[in-house]
Amino acid sequence: MADEKSDSVSEKQAPVIDENSRDTAIAMTEFDTSTNNGSRRDLIRDSDDGDPNQTMFFTLEDKPRRIDFVLVYETDKFDPAKDRQRKTFEQNLTDVGVILEHDTSADGKLGCVKIHSPWEALMKGAKLLGLRKRLNVKMDSKRVIDSCFRFFSPDQSIVPDEGHFFTAPFDPSKLNLFANNDPDEFFTNAERNLITKLFLDSTECPVEEKEGGVYINKGIDSLINHEVYSAAFPLHEGNIKPMSNDPNFFKGKDKDRLRLYHSWAKPCNAFRLQPLEYVRKYFGEKIGLYFAWLGFYTTFLIPATVFGFGVFLYGLITLPTDQTSKDACNVKGAGNFTLCPLCDNLCDFEKLSDSCLYARLTHVFDNYGTVAFAVFMAGWALAFLEFWKRSQAALQFMWSTNNYEAYEKLRPGYEKNVKKYIVNPVTGKKEPTVPAHEQLLRLFTSMSMIFFLICVVCIAIFAVLVYRLAVAAALFAVDQNGAKLITTVTASVLNLIIITVLGFIYNWLALIATKLEKHKTFSDHEESYTFKIIVFQFINYYGSIIYIAFFKGSFIDPPGKKNMYVFGKYRQDECDPTGCFIELTIQLAIIMVGKQALNGFIEFILPAIKNCFRRVNENTIGRQRWEDDYDLEDNSTFLFFDEYLEMVIQFGFVTLFVVAFPLAPLFALINNVIEIRLDAYKAVKLFRRPTAIRAQDIGAWYPTLRGFAYIAVITNAFIIGWTSEFIPKMVYIWNHRHSNASVPLDGYLDSSLTSVNASLLIPTNELRNAKIYVENSFYELLYPECRFHGYVQMNEQWKYEPTREYFQIFFARMVFVIIFEHLCFLVMSLISILIPDVSARIKRMKRYERQIQQRMDFEESFTDVRDKRVSMYLEATRFYTHNGLQ
């Protein structure tokens, strides 16, 4: 490949540009696959199982050239203006130094431009990007902990460990210092398509508007936006084939896709570590970081899963000895208490024993281990983020991205929509810009749309609340047995459906709102879109859970009062006499698990169905690899954005409300073990190969996760303090520490229920089982009194007033929340201090690499001085010889 400038070109190609002008060449060859399949087979040097259509190389007679990128456009809808733009753009591409070849699809409906970046162009691009390449100095990157996970390491026969090398900025003049300086293998395929994409992004082309105007646009993305081209992407490396016993099955070039499928994407590798070096080499650093983060997060879920499952088991084991649930289920004791109706008109009296199942389930999830689990999860969340920073720093060093600055380019379509230009004082060129007043107006419009949609979510939550009230009333009118559980489950499922539908609508509208803001660069555009999505999805997914955890049952009237009725006539939603905790658990479990199942279907099943339909409707005979890849799903707009968002929302479920559902880490762990392989399968087989993108961190997702970790401390503190029965039980134990020493919670249920004269309910209820005799304005009822959950009592004026226990519990809750938050924040601060961002091993390796770089610079400087002295000596010798001097 190094001598490509001197390669001969077939007669069908355009003449090669003079090499003295620039290192450029163009090979414009037209092929008709329907008639030239035979000649094509004779020309191909590389093929996949003898199939010439699956080659990754040009079909040139002199030497195969690797296809680094392809541009696809439609030929069945010919447009002269777009055809001129393509020819101009491709001619400008050749001036950069790349080589082109044209082709057509088997059905003649698509045209393709195959792009090859020769060695000289690759060196130029690597210098512009500041790529760091391996030196001939190998580092000792093995750790003691690696031997502990040797059993889980990827199959070394498929993805052998290539080791880690020190790196240095690429310099064409120092090729002898770099490892493997063979031009054919020096740059990985991901680096080749990264450099080629740089050329495509920096090439200018005039774009003709429909009104007749012409302006200069830059980059292939802009041409795709104007439908000059349909797509631009690098090719996957070969087809995926079943495993073979051939020892050379995985050996050779262009086998990374095959290696990744068999060692990474297949379900049988679910409990193996990921071959991250090969993922990075094939897809680039950005996707490599996503899978590294997902794998790290999944591994870190193991201790949270063990602790949470332990809390769940503790609840099951101690259930037979739990005094509260025993009292609620005892029909001869507290279970025989008559409870006031939960709704007006249709609801009847019920016994406390009807809530026996709720009481038992509440203890399973709300027990003494819950508080310890909440403190543990607060420390776990921050420890995960701190240790991820360490792991990320190691990856930055190993992948040579710690000092990388992203190449910023104008967002496609920005120039077209912006009419005002300013002169860049550095380049002297005009650049498009949006005036400040217009930017503020657009931002206000966009934020107004977002605020409106957030209001829609709040209305949806209120609609589910109305559904709860209506269904509960209807079920109570028919049969009270199971009415509460059915209402809770169906409302949670309905809420999940609404969340999913609103999520799709909002994603679409958020993209429109972000485009309306006219961000100049893609990174600004992506950050704005990410912010909108996170804010909306936070309210969308967690709104109903927040309502149940902190508001449900907090603003209700005692029986017989209507001061807090909705619109003056609708009674508010109330909790079960045993509390709202189990309802919160059911809501959280259904939304979390249901969301994971729906996402699995949407992310995996739908792309597979789409690809199958495309293949069924098209003729597969004589199709080339670029045609097969073109039919794959495109995921390049926001690379793995939905996958990141899914995991961030899951992280919220695991941290924000984990005390209500200790099994959340377990379900998250199971989901993520499957998710890694599904995402790997999608990336390797279902999606087009994305352009390699360099990145040094996970971007805006890290501060989002950190914000969730701090918010989780507050939410869990209030769930334990206000939603659970932990604080009231502790207050009761303290008040009765002398009388109930043997059975601390004996009589707790009786103390938490307030008795009321049932005759007060007659003005607001038509009780089905009430015998009413009106004599001297006195109501004689079947149940003369009933109980409801609350710490109030009747005064002499027949008005409710708080009891002494109410103020004790309120004060204890406030004290608990303050102490819990300060304790958790103290633990989190200690974790931040004790865990450095960069490990000592990486610091030592960085120091060694700096020393190597300094030595290289010194030797180069010394060589320059020596060469200068030799040159001066030779010049002096010639002078003296010429003048006859000695």
Side-chain angles (χ1 to χ4, degrees), residues 298-312 373 376-377 380 654 662-670:
T298 303
T299 304
F300 225 80
L301 280 171
I302 295 176
T305 299
V306 174
F307 203 132
F309 192 70
V311 172
F312 175 74
F373 184 53
F376 169 81
M377 288 303 296
W380 174 89
V654 170
L663 295 179
L666 173 63
F667 283 100
L669 177 64
I670 295 173

Side-chain angles (χ1 to χ4, degrees), residues 73-91:
Y73 56 91
E74 297 179 356
T75 57
D76 55 345
K77 299 178 182 178
F78 181 75
D79 187 335
K82 293 179 180 179
D83 186 61
R84 289 193 299 270
Q85 292 167 22
R86 280 193 293 268
K87 290 181 178 179
T88 303
F89 180 74
E90 291 161 14
Q91 183 60 49

Side-chain angles (χ1 to χ4, degrees), residues 864-876:
D864 292 341
V865 172
R866 184 185 60 188
D867 292 344
K868 185 176 181 180
R869 289 180 178 178
V870 171
S871 177
M872 292 174 61
Y873 173 77
L874 293 176
E875 185 67 26

Side-chain angles (χ1 to χ4, degrees), residues 455-685:
C455 292
V456 172
V457 175
C458 296
I459 293 173
I461 296 173
F462 182 76
V464 175
L465 171 61
V466 173
Y467 168 84
R468 286 175 179 271
L469 299 176
V471 172
L475 291 177
F476 275 121
V478 178
D479 184 12
Q480 292 192 216
N481 294 329
K484 290 180 290 187
L485 184 60
I486 294 173
T487 301
T488 300
V489 172
T490 56
S492 300
V493 173
L494 176 63
N495 195 20
L496 175 63
I497 296 173
I498 293 175
I499 286 172
T500 305
V501 174
L502 287 178
F504 281 114
I505 296 174
Y506 184 83
N507 288 350
W508 174 63
L509 292 178
L511 187 59
I512 294 176
T514 307
K515 289 181 178 179
L516 182 65
E517 295 173 359
K518 285 188 177 180
H519 293 286
K520 189 172 185 178
T521 62
F522 184 79
S523 61
D524 293 338
H525 180 83
E526 186 176 19
E527 288 178 4
S528 177
Y529 178 73
T530 303
F531 171 76
K532 294 181 181 65
I533 292 295
I534 290 174
V535 171
F536 174 82
Q537 297 292 18
F538 183 91
I539 300 174
N540 191 30
Y541 277 97
Y542 308 136
S544 59
I545 299 175
I546 291 173
Y547 163 74
I548 296 175
F550 306 126
F551 299 104
K552 183 175 180 179
S554 300
F555 305 102
I556 61 173
D557 284 315
K561 300 295 182 181
K562 283 192 173 184
N563 297 329
M564 298 297 292
Y565 274 36
V566 179
F567 304 125
K569 60 178 180 179
Y570 297 108
R571 187 171 176 175
Q572 291 192 39
D573 196 16
E574 297 183 25
C575 298
D576 186 80
T578 58
C580 290
F581 197 89
I582 192 60
E583 188 173 343
L584 175 63
T585 302
I586 294 173
Q587 179 85 0
L588 181 62
I590 289 178
I591 292 180
M592 178 181 176
V593 178
K595 168 190 167 295
Q596 292 177 169
L598 284 175
N599 283 342
F601 174 80
I602 294 170
E603 294 180 7
F604 178 73
I605 303 297
L606 289 185
I609 293 174
K610 290 179 182 178
N611 291 337
C612 289
F613 271 111
R614 292 194 190 102
R615 299 282 173 86
V616 169
N617 295 329
E618 295 181 357
N619 183 17
T620 59
I621 300 177
R623 288 170 59 87
Q624 302 177 64
R625 180 172 298 165
W626 68 264
E627 296 179 72
D628 294 336
D629 286 5
Y630 178 74
D631 285 341
L632 298 178
E633 193 76 8
D634 184 19
N635 190 37
S636 60
T637 304
F638 293 104
L639 198 58
F640 277 84
F641 180 90
D642 292 335
E643 287 76 7
Y644 266 120
L645 179 63
E646 177 188 353
M647 291 297 106
V648 169
I649 292 174
Q650 182 199 92
F651 183 80
F653 283 123
V654 170
T655 55
L656 296 177
F657 312 99
V658 69
V659 294
F661 189 43
L663 295 179
L666 173 63
F667 283 100
L669 177 64
I670 295 173
N671 173 80
N672 290 4
V673 170
I674 301 173
E675 182 75 20
I676 291 176
R677 305 306 156 180
L678 286 182
D679 289 346
Y681 185 86
K682 290 187 301 183
V684 172
K685 193 169 184 180

